[in-house]
Amino acid sequence: MLRLYDYLESGNGYKVRLLLAQLGIPFERVELDITRGESRTDDFLARNPNGRIPTLELEDGSHLAESNAIQWYLAEGTPLLPDDRLLRAQVLQWMFFEQYSHEPYVAVVRFWAHQGLLDEKGGEVEERRRRGHEALAVMERHLGDHDFLVGGAYSIADIALYAYTHVADEGGFDLRPYPALRAWLDRVATQPGHIPITRG
Ligand SMILES: N[C@@H](CCC(=O)N[C@@H](CS)C(=O)NCC(=O)O)C(=O)O
């Protein structure tokens, strides 16, 4: 059986949990408390030298890290990853956007808020919120005339960006200025097999 090294609060972990649930793939979840260094033990570093969850252990004992790479691996051959060459590249386009222009701002400020670090981080918080809003505005423009991010159908690109966008308010991001984005959040949350971030 697949084994997912995970941390329940993590949107990166949630991407994989949500996809596994929607594909109906059974898996064992191993919760690591990343705030107590449990992803930096010798045992875990042997599984992922980068010391981060999510990390997926495959049936043959090999390991795969990086949430979007794991999603790509799991979704291959399913309706959640298109066959068409251009659509596949567009899925990657949104996943790279998520990692470079969205997650470092929207996810990181939420993590700081959860850890009570907002005062300590000072002006960095507002700068990251500004950059996070830039990413949300890009999504809003696209979703103004598209139901889903790629090809008119729900895909792993939507999962990648849903994970931290739907909890952005926890980092102080007000989503009221983004009506198309909020309608998309509702569409994603009503896809078959959807589970909340709080469920392991
Ligand atoms: N780019 C990676 C980011 C993974 C990541 O930053 N994981 C965080 C939790 S969301 C983590 O494991 N942090 C623990 C640590 O850095 O020790 C992905 O998409 O999976």
Side-chain angles (χ1 to χ4, degrees):
M1 183 182 294
L2 296 176
R3 178 180 291 158
L4 178 64
Y5 293 88
D6 196 7
Y7 175 63
L8 202 55
E9 281 187 25
S10 164
N12 287 317
Y14 175 54
K15 294 172 198 171
V16 180
R17 260 179 271 147
L18 173 56
L19 177 60
L20 285 164
Q22 293 190 305
L23 294 177
I25 299 174
F27 66 103
E28 176 192 348
R29 210 177 68 82
V30 179
E31 175 81 0
L32 298 184
D33 188 345
I34 63 170
T35 67
R36 297 167 67 113
E38 290 182 5
S39 55
R40 300 298 169 122
T41 62
D42 289 346
D43 178 67
F44 187 71
L45 289 172
R47 301 173 194 282
N48 176 3
N50 199 28
R52 288 185 168 82
I53 64 87
T55 296
L56 187 68
E57 188 174 304
L58 306 180
E59 275 98 348
D60 68 358
S62 57
H63 293 88
L64 188 58
E66 294 293 330
S67 58
N68 291 338
I70 300 170
Q71 286 211 86
W72 190 272
Y73 173 81
L74 293 171
E76 191 72 73
T78 80
L80 296 186
L81 178 56
D83 293 329
D84 177 82
R85 184 178 176 187
L86 177 60
L87 295 181
R88 287 165 75 83
Q90 288 173 340
V91 170
L92 285 177
Q93 172 193 309
W94 283 108
M95 287 176 142
F96 287 122
F97 166 84
E98 188 264 341
Q99 288 283 290
Y100 190 79
S101 300
H102 184 288
E103 196 257 17
Y105 310 115
V106 177
V108 168
V109 178
R110 169 178 176 262
F111 182 72
W112 288 346
H114 282 197
Q115 299 303 309
L117 296 173
L118 291 180
D119 286 345
E120 180 185 314
K121 297 294 178 183
E124 181 73 3
V125 174
E126 280 323 305
E127 176 57 14
R128 294 222 183 200
R129 285 201 181 119
R130 186 185 69 73
R131 304 283 293 268
H133 277 291
E134 283 181 356
L136 297 171
V138 169
M139 294 173 68
E140 175 69 16
R141 275 197 297 280
H142 184 74
L143 292 165
D145 51 10
H146 297 84
D147 281 351
F148 293 102
L149 291 171
V150 176
Y154 179 61
S155 74
I156 53 174
D158 297 291
I159 295 181
L161 277 148
Y162 177 83
Y164 283 111
T165 304
H166 86 293
V167 288
D169 62 306
E170 296 172 17
F173 290 91
D174 180 3
L175 295 186
R176 279 175 302 183
Y178 309 109
L181 181 146
R182 285 188 284 105
W184 166 79
L185 289 177
D186 291 344
R187 275 194 293 282
V188 171
T190 53
Q191 293 303 302
H194 184 85
I195 57 165
I197 192 167
T198 47
R199 210 181 89 194

